[in-house]
Amino acid sequence: GPDLILLDLMLPDMSGHDICTRLRENGKTRSIPIIMLTARGEEEDRITGFEVGADDYVTKPFSPRELLARVKAVLRRSQGTVEGGDQILKAGIIRVDVDAHRAWIGDKEVDFTAVEYRLLCAFLERKGRVQSREQLIDVVWGMGTTITHRTVDVHVKRLRTKLGPIAAEYVDTVWGVGYRFVVPEVSPRPPQ
């Protein structure tokens, strides 16, 4: 299959958002990085693109050099998780198989978009450490992206929703800074 998909939002028969949703729902194409191309630079459009699973966004008109830089950055990020053998990340009731791009909450497998998945891995790899929104942007989207703090918050909110009531509690908001991922200690019951 392709290493990366460039997807124009303005297509004659169907919106790029709909196609992106279908690509993310299909097991064969779920983990292929998608860069959306759009003439509209409004933030709402970008957020919708990220919500349906796009990895990055390039606004027209763009130079070939800018597009190439974005393509390289997205490919670097998507291939970065493949090396290093069978990596399983665990925290509380969350388990992630990094190579297979699969995640479980308890014994239920949960489908995350590529961005949500990278955000979850970023949290798991840095348990207990406060991460600013800037750090999350660098790790999840890469430097040089036009992602705003609001976009980060939208993704964290969506991630919390998908994590479900117990695991959502692991993602702490640190006001004025960013987020911290902490699994609460289960306190031993006092003897009866």
Side-chain angles (χ1 to χ4, degrees):
D3 292 329
L4 180 135
I5 295 167
L6 281 178
L7 182 57
D8 202 318
L9 263 189
M10 310 301 282
L11 295 168
D13 303 325
M14 193 178 185
S15 93
H17 286 138
D18 293 340
I19 290 176
C20 192
T21 301
R22 290 191 182 184
L23 289 166
R24 287 296 174 242
E25 284 167 354
N26 182 329
K28 289 194 179 82
T29 54
R30 182 176 298 141
S31 57
I32 299 172
I34 296 172
I35 296 179
M36 284 204 165
L37 306 177
T38 176
R40 300 189 305 241
E42 281 95 40
E43 191 176 26
E44 283 310 315
D45 266 356
R46 281 209 298 272
I47 287 174
T48 308
F50 289 129
E51 285 182 341
V52 294
D55 289 80
D56 205 350
Y57 221 88
V58 182
T59 309
K60 296 182 232 174
F62 51 82
S63 71
R65 272 180 62 194
E66 183 194 354
L67 181 61
L68 190 61
R70 291 288 182 87
V71 166
K72 282 180 178 166
V74 169
L75 285 174
R76 211 171 36 242
R77 290 200 306 267
S78 70
Q79 287 155 4
T81 53
V82 180
E83 298 143 24
D86 299 334
Q87 203 189 348
I88 304 287
L89 297 174
K90 288 188 187 136
I93 61 168
I94 302 172
R95 185 169 52 91
V96 174
D97 181 335
V98 176
D99 294 345
H101 268 256
R102 296 173 72 187
W104 293 263
I105 310 299
D107 49 11
K108 182 172 169 279
E109 186 167 1
V110 179
D111 274 340
F112 293 102
T113 66
V115 170
E116 289 160 355
Y117 178 80
R118 278 203 306 277
L119 192 54
L120 179 61
C121 289
F123 281 137
L124 288 169
E125 284 163 359
R126 296 165 185 79
K127 281 194 291 252
R129 299 215 300 263
V130 176
Q131 296 184 79
S132 69
R133 290 173 177 84
E134 279 84 7
Q135 286 170 311
L136 289 170
I137 288 169
D138 284 351
V139 171
V140 176
W141 289 275
M143 290 158 156
T145 181
T146 52
I147 301 293
T148 62
H149 286 188
R150 182 165 163 246
T151 307
V152 176
D153 295 339
V154 167
H155 281 289
V156 171
K157 186 169 174 237
R158 288 175 52 82
L159 180 64
R160 278 184 176 135
T161 303
K162 285 196 185 175
L163 287 174
I166 296 171
E169 296 288 316
Y170 301 170
V171 183
D172 269 352
T173 301
V174 181
W175 292 109
V177 185
Y179 298 94
R180 181 174 46 217
F181 187 90
V182 182
V183 178
E185 294 287 324
V186 180
S187 52
R189 288 211 180 106
Q192 294 298 316

Short mmCIF file of all heavy atoms in Angstrom, two decimals, residues 44-67:
data_model
loop_
_atom_site.label_atom_id
_atom_site.label_comp_id
_atom_site.label_asym_id
_atom_site.label_seq_id
_atom_site.Cartn_x
_atom_site.Cartn_y
_atom_site.Cartn_z
N GLU A 44 -11.24 26.06 12.03
CA GLU A 44 -12.33 25.08 12.14
C GLU A 44 -12.15 23.95 11.14
O GLU A 44 -12.36 22.79 11.45
CB GLU A 44 -13.70 25.74 11.93
CG GLU A 44 -14.19 26.52 13.13
CD GLU A 44 -14.14 25.73 14.44
OE1 GLU A 44 -14.55 24.55 14.47
OE2 GLU A 44 -13.65 26.29 15.44
N ASP A 45 -11.76 24.32 9.91
CA ASP A 45 -11.51 23.31 8.88
C ASP A 45 -10.39 22.37 9.29
O ASP A 45 -10.47 21.17 9.10
CB ASP A 45 -11.05 24.00 7.59
CG ASP A 45 -12.22 24.25 6.67
OD1 ASP A 45 -13.32 23.82 7.02
OD2 ASP A 45 -12.02 24.87 5.62
N ARG A 46 -9.32 22.98 9.84
CA ARG A 46 -8.20 22.15 10.26
C ARG A 46 -8.62 21.19 11.35
O ARG A 46 -8.28 20.02 11.33
CB ARG A 46 -7.06 23.05 10.77
CG ARG A 46 -6.25 23.69 9.68
CD ARG A 46 -4.84 23.92 10.14
NE ARG A 46 -4.80 24.84 11.28
CZ ARG A 46 -4.74 26.15 11.16
NH1 ARG A 46 -4.77 26.72 9.98
NH2 ARG A 46 -4.67 26.90 12.24
N ILE A 47 -9.38 21.71 12.32
CA ILE A 47 -9.80 20.87 13.44
C ILE A 47 -10.67 19.73 12.95
O ILE A 47 -10.50 18.58 13.34
CB ILE A 47 -10.48 21.72 14.53
CG1 ILE A 47 -9.41 22.54 15.25
CG2 ILE A 47 -11.24 20.84 15.53
CD1 ILE A 47 -9.93 23.54 16.25
N THR A 48 -11.59 20.03 12.01
CA THR A 48 -12.42 18.96 11.44
C THR A 48 -11.53 17.92 10.77
O THR A 48 -11.73 16.72 10.93
CB THR A 48 -13.42 19.53 10.41
OG1 THR A 48 -14.14 20.60 11.02
CG2 THR A 48 -14.41 18.47 9.96
N GLY A 49 -10.52 18.39 10.04
CA GLY A 49 -9.59 17.46 9.37
C GLY A 49 -8.88 16.57 10.37
O GLY A 49 -8.77 15.35 10.17
N PHE A 50 -8.43 17.14 11.48
CA PHE A 50 -7.74 16.34 12.49
C PHE A 50 -8.72 15.39 13.18
O PHE A 50 -8.37 14.28 13.54
CB PHE A 50 -7.05 17.23 13.52
CG PHE A 50 -5.86 17.95 12.97
CD1 PHE A 50 -5.73 19.31 13.11
CD2 PHE A 50 -4.88 17.26 12.28
CE1 PHE A 50 -4.62 19.98 12.59
CE2 PHE A 50 -3.77 17.91 11.76
CZ PHE A 50 -3.65 19.28 11.91
N GLU A 51 -9.95 15.83 13.36
CA GLU A 51 -10.93 14.98 14.04
C GLU A 51 -11.24 13.73 13.23
O GLU A 51 -11.52 12.69 13.79
CB GLU A 51 -12.22 15.77 14.34
CG GLU A 51 -12.02 16.72 15.51
CD GLU A 51 -13.29 17.48 15.87
OE1 GLU A 51 -14.20 17.56 15.02
OE2 GLU A 51 -13.34 17.97 16.99
N VAL A 52 -11.22 13.84 11.89
CA VAL A 52 -11.49 12.65 11.08
C VAL A 52 -10.23 11.84 10.81
O VAL A 52 -10.27 10.84 10.12
CB VAL A 52 -12.22 12.99 9.75
CG1 VAL A 52 -13.61 13.54 10.03
CG2 VAL A 52 -11.42 13.95 8.89
N GLY A 53 -9.08 12.29 11.38
CA GLY A 53 -7.90 11.43 11.34
C GLY A 53 -6.76 11.89 10.46
O GLY A 53 -5.83 11.13 10.23
N ALA A 54 -6.81 13.12 9.94
CA ALA A 54 -5.67 13.61 9.14
C ALA A 54 -4.45 13.79 10.05
O ALA A 54 -4.59 14.09 11.22
CB ALA A 54 -6.02 14.93 8.47
N ASP A 55 -3.26 13.58 9.50
CA ASP A 55 -2.03 13.73 10.27
C ASP A 55 -1.48 15.14 10.19
O ASP A 55 -0.83 15.61 11.10
CB ASP A 55 -0.96 12.78 9.74
CG ASP A 55 -1.30 11.35 10.09
OD1 ASP A 55 -2.14 10.74 9.39
OD2 ASP A 55 -0.76 10.85 11.07
N ASP A 56 -1.70 15.80 9.04
CA ASP A 56 -1.21 17.15 8.88
C ASP A 56 -2.05 17.83 7.82
O ASP A 56 -2.91 17.21 7.18
CB ASP A 56 0.29 17.15 8.50
CG ASP A 56 0.99 18.45 8.90
OD1 ASP A 56 0.30 19.42 9.29
OD2 ASP A 56 2.23 18.50 8.82
N TYR A 57 -1.76 19.09 7.61
CA TYR A 57 -2.60 19.95 6.84
C TYR A 57 -1.73 20.92 6.08
O TYR A 57 -0.83 21.50 6.68
CB TYR A 57 -3.37 20.77 7.88
CG TYR A 57 -4.79 20.94 7.53
CD1 TYR A 57 -5.73 20.00 7.91
CD2 TYR A 57 -5.19 22.04 6.79
CE1 TYR A 57 -7.04 20.16 7.58
CE2 TYR A 57 -6.51 22.21 6.47
CZ TYR A 57 -7.42 21.28 6.85
OH TYR A 57 -8.73 21.42 6.52
N VAL A 58 -1.93 21.10 4.78
CA VAL A 58 -1.19 22.10 4.03
C VAL A 58 -2.21 22.98 3.33
O VAL A 58 -3.12 22.48 2.66
CB VAL A 58 -0.21 21.47 3.00
CG1 VAL A 58 0.57 22.54 2.27
CG2 VAL A 58 0.75 20.52 3.70
N THR A 59 -2.08 24.30 3.52
CA THR A 59 -3.05 25.24 2.95
C THR A 59 -2.54 25.75 1.61
O THR A 59 -1.39 26.16 1.49
CB THR A 59 -3.25 26.42 3.92
OG1 THR A 59 -3.54 25.90 5.21
CG2 THR A 59 -4.40 27.30 3.47
N LYS A 60 -3.42 25.73 0.60
CA LYS A 60 -3.08 26.28 -0.72
C LYS A 60 -3.15 27.80 -0.64
O LYS A 60 -3.99 28.32 0.09
CB LYS A 60 -4.08 25.79 -1.76
CG LYS A 60 -4.07 24.29 -2.01
CD LYS A 60 -5.08 23.98 -3.10
CE LYS A 60 -6.02 22.89 -2.63
NZ LYS A 60 -7.09 22.63 -3.56
N PRO A 61 -2.35 28.54 -1.39
CA PRO A 61 -1.27 28.01 -2.23
C PRO A 61 -0.05 27.67 -1.38
O PRO A 61 0.21 28.34 -0.40
CB PRO A 61 -0.95 29.19 -3.16
CG PRO A 61 -1.34 30.40 -2.37
CD PRO A 61 -2.47 29.99 -1.47
N PHE A 62 0.64 26.59 -1.74
CA PHE A 62 1.85 26.21 -1.01
C PHE A 62 2.96 25.97 -2.01
O PHE A 62 2.70 25.69 -3.18
CB PHE A 62 1.62 24.95 -0.16
CG PHE A 62 1.02 23.82 -0.95
CD1 PHE A 62 1.80 22.99 -1.74
CD2 PHE A 62 -0.35 23.59 -0.90
CE1 PHE A 62 1.23 21.96 -2.47
CE2 PHE A 62 -0.93 22.55 -1.63
CZ PHE A 62 -0.13 21.74 -2.41
N SER A 63 4.20 26.08 -1.55
CA SER A 63 5.32 25.82 -2.45
C SER A 63 5.61 24.32 -2.42
O SER A 63 5.36 23.66 -1.40
CB SER A 63 6.55 26.60 -1.99
OG SER A 63 7.04 26.03 -0.79
N PRO A 64 6.16 23.78 -3.52
CA PRO A 64 6.54 22.37 -3.51
C PRO A 64 7.49 22.04 -2.36
O PRO A 64 7.43 20.96 -1.78
CB PRO A 64 7.24 22.18 -4.87
CG PRO A 64 6.68 23.25 -5.74
CD PRO A 64 6.37 24.41 -4.83
N ARG A 65 8.37 23.02 -2.01
CA ARG A 65 9.32 22.77 -0.91
C ARG A 65 8.60 22.59 0.41
O ARG A 65 8.97 21.75 1.21
CB ARG A 65 10.31 23.93 -0.81
CG ARG A 65 11.52 23.75 -1.71
CD ARG A 65 12.48 24.91 -1.58
NE ARG A 65 13.01 25.02 -0.23
CZ ARG A 65 13.66 26.10 0.21
NH1 ARG A 65 13.83 27.13 -0.58
NH2 ARG A 65 14.13 26.12 1.43
N GLU A 66 7.57 23.43 0.65
CA GLU A 66 6.81 23.32 1.90
C GLU A 66 6.11 21.97 1.97
O GLU A 66 6.15 21.27 2.98
CB GLU A 66 5.76 24.44 2.01
CG GLU A 66 5.02 24.38 3.34
CD GLU A 66 3.75 25.23 3.39
OE1 GLU A 66 3.48 25.97 2.43
OE2 GLU A 66 3.04 25.13 4.41
N LEU A 67 5.48 21.58 0.85
CA LEU A 67 4.77 20.29 0.81
C LEU A 67 5.75 19.14 1.06
O LEU A 67 5.48 18.24 1.86
CB LEU A 67 4.06 20.11 -0.52
CG LEU A 67 3.26 18.81 -0.67
CD1 LEU A 67 2.15 18.73 0.38
CD2 LEU A 67 2.65 18.71 -2.06
#
